[in-house]
Amino acid sequence: MRRPGSLGRTRSAVFATVLALGAGALGAGAAPPAAALTPPVGFTADHLSTYQTNGIVWSLAEANGVVYAGGTFSNVRPAGSPAGSNTTPAVNFAAFDAATGAPTGCSLSFTRSSGTATVRALAVSADRSTLYAGGYFNAVNGTSANGLVAINTATCQLRPGFSPDFGATVRALDVAANGTVYAGGDFQTVNGQTRRFFGAVTSTGALTAWNPDVDEPGRTLKVTPDGASVLIGGEFFTVGGAASHALAVTSASSGALTRAYTGNFIPSSAVIKDIVTDAASDGWYVAGEGAGGSSFDGRLAMGLDDFDQRWRDTCQGATQALRVYQGVLYAGSHVHDCSSMGGFPNQVRKHLTAQSVDDPALVGWLPDTNDGIGEPVGPRALTVASRGGRDFLWVGGEFTTVNGVSQQALTRFANTPDTGAPAAPAVSVSAPRAGEVKVRWRSSLDLDDSLLTYRVYRDGGTTPVHTTTGSSLFYSRPQLTFTDTNVVAGRTYSYRITASDGTNTSGLSAAASVTAASSASPYQERVLADGAGLYWRYDEAGGAFAADASADDNSGVYANAPTYRSTPSAVAGSAALSLNGVDEYVYSDRLHRYTSPTPYSVETWFRTTSTTGGRIVGYGSNIGTAQGHTSNISDKLLYLTDNGRLAFGVQSGNSSTRPTITTAGTYNDGSWHHAVATQGPSGMVLYVDGAVVGTNAATGNRSYNGYWRVGGDAMNNAWPNRPTSTYFAGQVDETAVYPTALTAAQVAAHHALAGTPPGPGDTTLSVTPDEDAYVNSVSANTNYNDSQLASRGTTAYLSYLRFTVPPAPSGQVLKSARLTFRTSSDSTAGSLDSHSVVPVTGTWTESTVTYNTRPALAATVLGTITGATSVSTDDTVELNASALDGALGSVYSLALTSSGTDSLRLWSSEAGTAAYRPQLVLTFGAE
């Protein structure tokens, strides 16, 4: 794992706020439409059809509308062709039409008599007539060559008379306007003379006097636009005997050191992998690859005027390649942690990013590859090419997928057109008080458009009742809110929303309905009046969006599909959330910044019978559950011990001290309990069920950026009475966070206003399929038992799902049932047709069912799926509870079928993400 180093000096604010949102109680006036490709982004995130190789592409260059690729490979093949099929020989080198992605016919074979040949560096002369190729080879098309050749770009022939001799691999090249070819790499001799790791030859191949004389290999170099200097990067620690680690400025004539970078400017554990210049910004930009948390993995912006640092990007993730296009710095890396920049915490790797040359903040451009083969690190090379009036960003490397589609080692993106539509918004509605309905939604994600336009439609109308714009990035998708005041109490209203980048528009969101209220919830009104800045009521029916009822739009994300709308709730008229104590939790969708001793309060209701404890509410530095993705810093915790006692603890500064209040009484009795934890100038106070149960004089806590989490996260052994499970098993309701320390009177009032209903109330149970599969009439004897299900009338797809349906709890009957699912990421996943859910009467197993052996179906329709038109979107279909009643306590199969021509694709129980798997949700209540 590669990690970045110290923050260094910056010229502009790090990760400046880019998420300016129009939210709150907004009118229905028009908002200006967003334009496709939110500035300053210059390329779409839609990858284009491009030939691919069967190995690694290490270098790219372009000339006259042709893109050249060098690497370690033996053939190329068209996009979509599996490895080994439709191949054309291409030995470590290939040339492609920049506009079509197809080979041009320029074919050169780079080989060695022993060892593995490779092309590691490509550069083009200023007049675009000559391509220089460097690497580890001793023959090109059978002609002797040793590490560096010159190729006529018009004829694709080696230029005669150019035959320098490099003693080892050439890894970096650049060509000056005067024709001098500068090289870096592993070699220590050129043309038989000493040149340690950097050297230069004339356009005829004669050795020049340029000799930086470094002590370790060179990885990159670049001639400055004025031709006076050569910027060098690599693994070295000295240049001409003087200290300058990994980066230096040298004289273009002699190689003498003219600017050193000493101390910890580049940490000793880091190397420099790429350098690019940009005359328009008068800057040069540096890619770092480090090892360890104090190293350097990100990007540097430097000035060409003074060679000083302008800004430093300290994200972690081994940057390999850079290119500047129209004021944007594009990077190939495997960035996974930008928390030191105020960005996202350690999470899944991203491989292609962009930022302004004036600011290290990431902008909204995020196509992606995988890590791929080799080391693996994903992309290794970038270049920009123009042809046919369009500009293209070409990417080469080790990857084997692009945007989730199989594609090896090469891909490309264009400046136009943008064809990718945003994802449909996730919507939540509520009727908090008389005369209004609150429509809240999680802003959508578009990989090349951070600024989107949203249109809200009511009751199936075609004219929006509200239009607004909002910004989002992959790691920050803020909540937007519209207050509809044109409502009548007792009437039910339905809302759907689209997102548009100005050119492409998402499908309509799943419909969200609510009945307008005649009065407000006294409990909710008091929570809001007392200043809650985050208020999760958990009233959603499903999906990943946890709406915030406060005016601050601090929405949350449901992780791993907890059980929604559990009853009884803690507060009358609301629902609760059930958590499994293993991996289900909710985290805030916005990074929060707390500086001790800022006062705060944490409030929640909880109900459990657990004897293994768990974190109920806490503040942490990360948002995930995977190894390395949980919080390594935790603070402001409200947790349950194994014996059912409630604890409230903080971390005292950066020390291991954990001031904590622990109750004498136990609360794992299966009843609802109200907990409030406050800290302010008077210290810590813990309230349970409206009364003070403990105090602590500590006023300080840990200052850091983080996320509120409900239901679980990491806890180290320093926490007193650390529970066996750090995840909470039970129900939670009405979680709120305040920027003040609530008073005893306020806490008591909240508890009194809850109106907790007596008795056990309703019970909601969710089950995932024991087995599921689909069949395809085109391949009638093929079994499809994978991560997707499908339904279509012509040509037919049918899907089958088998559930173990639980019996009704004692004294209760089935009141409602629904099937929840998520459409897959397949581009054809959404469907404009309706799809029926019907009982299966025949026998089948997921490992053997085919179209020809498909089971018989009943004539009964349990429910109809409509409006599932968008990809990667949560949806639900209500089922006939009466028809399901006889299946309680048995194994029961459902089928998805259609008479239309538009297929529906959804994730199956084999989906890698638990939240995407189908669920049968059953609600039981008193007879």
Side-chain angles (χ1 to χ4, degrees), residues 7 32 54 56-58 60 178 265 293 360 388 437 443 455 501 504 679 697 740 775 811-812 880 884 890 919:
L7 191 61
N54 66 336
I56 299 171
V57 170
W58 292 102
L60 293 170
N178 66 6
F265 188 81
V437 166
S443 49
R455 295 177 175 88
D501 61 16
N504 310 287
Q679 189 177 27
T740 60
V775 298
Q812 295 187 324
N880 186 327
L884 280 172
S890 69
Q919 290 192 64

Side-chain angles (χ1 to χ4, degrees), residues 406-717:
S406 293
Q407 174 71 20
Q408 185 170 0
L410 282 171
T411 190
R412 63 200 174 100
F413 306 89
N415 61 335
T416 186
D418 180 11
T419 60
V427 183
S428 178
V429 295
S430 64
R433 53 183 64 91
E436 68 178 48
V437 166
K438 289 280 188 182
V439 184
R440 301 180 175 93
W441 66 97
R442 189 185 189 199
S443 49
S444 296
L445 182 63
D446 189 305
L447 296 182
D448 48 31
D449 300 286
S450 56
L451 180 64
L452 299 174
T453 296
Y454 298 91
R455 295 177 175 88
V456 182
Y457 299 88
R458 189 175 77 174
D459 294 340
T462 57
T463 301
V465 296
H466 179 67
T467 302
T468 191
T469 58
S471 291
S472 63
L473 296 171
F474 78 94
Y475 59 89
S476 182
R477 296 171 59 186
Q479 173 178 303
L480 295 170
T481 301
F482 161 59
T483 302
D484 189 355
T485 57
N486 185 25
V487 297
V488 177
R491 178 179 165 185
T492 298
Y493 297 89
S494 176
Y495 299 85
R496 304 182 79 176
I497 302 176
T498 62
S500 174
D501 61 16
T503 299
N504 310 287
T505 301
S506 74
L508 287 162
S509 67
S513 301
V514 69
T515 301
S518 58
S519 62
S521 159
Y523 182 90
Q524 175 190 255
E525 293 300 288
R526 186 59 188 262
V527 168
L528 297 175
D530 286 340
L534 180 156
Y535 184 19
W536 297 340
R537 304 204 70 192
Y538 309 118
D539 288 342
E540 287 75 31
F545 175 52
D548 176 25
S550 84
D552 288 357
D553 286 326
N554 268 311
S555 59
V557 178
Y558 292 114
N560 297 320
T563 300
Y564 307 94
R565 299 197 62 80
S566 293
T567 53
S569 61
V571 174
S574 179
L577 184 74
S578 287
L579 301 165
N580 65 3
V582 177
D583 62 357
E584 295 173 353
Y585 61 102
V586 192
Y587 66 86
S588 55
D589 207 13
R590 180 187 298 174
L591 185 70
H592 294 78
R593 295 167 173 83
Y594 278 89
T595 302
S596 177
T598 302
Y600 63 91
S601 299
V602 180
E603 176 179 39
T604 197
W605 289 79
F606 70 95
R607 183 175 73 152
T608 187
T609 57
S610 173
T611 58
T612 56
R615 280 179 54 150
I616 305 173
V617 184
Y619 186 67
S621 60
N622 211 327
I623 58 177
T625 54
Q627 184 176 3
H629 298 170
T630 53
S631 297
N632 60 356
I633 305 173
S634 289
D635 187 37
K636 308 172 186 65
L637 301 191
L638 191 62
Y639 62 96
L640 202 70
T641 66
D642 286 356
N643 60 5
R645 302 180 190 277
L646 190 65
F648 166 42
V650 299
Q651 185 175 357
S652 182
N654 294 333
S655 74
S656 60
T657 304
R658 303 288 194 278
T660 303
I661 303 167
T662 304
T663 64
T666 59
Y667 300 96
N668 57 346
D669 57 3
S671 298
W672 279 109
H673 295 286
H674 179 231
V676 178
T678 73
Q679 189 177 27
S682 300
M684 302 165 62
V685 184
L686 178 59
Y687 303 84
V688 178
D689 295 336
V692 175
V693 293
T695 61
N696 188 299
T699 59
N701 51 69
R702 183 77 180 262
S703 298
Y704 66 101
N705 299 336
Y707 305 84
W708 287 105
R709 294 178 54 133
V710 175
D713 196 2
M715 290 180 68
N716 65 34
N717 290 328

Side-chain angles (χ1 to χ4, degrees), residues 352-374:
L352 293 168
T353 57
Q355 55 209 137
S356 167
V357 294
D358 296 321
D359 195 313
L362 295 183
V363 298
W365 185 78
L366 207 82
D368 203 12
T369 72
N370 64 353
D371 286 345
I373 61 178

